[in-house]
Amino acid sequence: MVILNEMINETRVVHLDRRPHIESTIRLWNGDSRGYWEGDTLVIESSNFDDKQIFRGFPVGALRLVERLTRIGPDQI
């Protein structure tokens, strides 16, 4: 699955095939994302963010981000 960030035209690939995350020595600006379904909720776990990425003054290289997107209709998340 690909998520397009309209504001700055970035794309983020979310693999849904249960493959493991890439090696921790490989860092990506938007992290390495893996997703899976829990019922009607898509759970996206991202890690391996680039150490140069800063959020509110803190580097996010060691961050593990979990997002939950729930379906609210047949064609809406």
Side-chain angles (χ1 to χ4, degrees), residues 1-68:
M1 175 178 113
V2 176
I3 297 175
L4 172 64
N5 184 344
E6 184 178 345
M7 185 175 174
I8 52 178
N9 296 319
E10 280 188 326
T11 56
R12 183 165 56 129
V13 176
V14 179
H15 298 280
L16 300 174
D17 59 359
R18 297 284 188 171
R19 71 177 72 182
H21 283 277
I22 58 176
E23 296 178 35
S24 62
T25 56
I26 300 172
R27 300 297 177 152
L28 305 173
W29 188 255
N30 289 322
D32 178 46
S33 299
R34 301 293 187 254
Y36 56 92
W37 288 96
E38 287 182 350
D40 284 342
T41 300
L42 176 61
V43 180
I44 303 171
E45 296 182 6
S46 300
S47 61
N48 298 358
F49 291 90
D50 190 305
D51 291 325
K52 295 178 193 111
Q53 179 89 270
I54 303 293
F55 180 72
R56 296 188 179 189
F58 297 96
V60 299
L63 178 73
R64 180 177 168 265
L65 175 67
V66 177
E67 302 165 276
R68 296 182 188 281

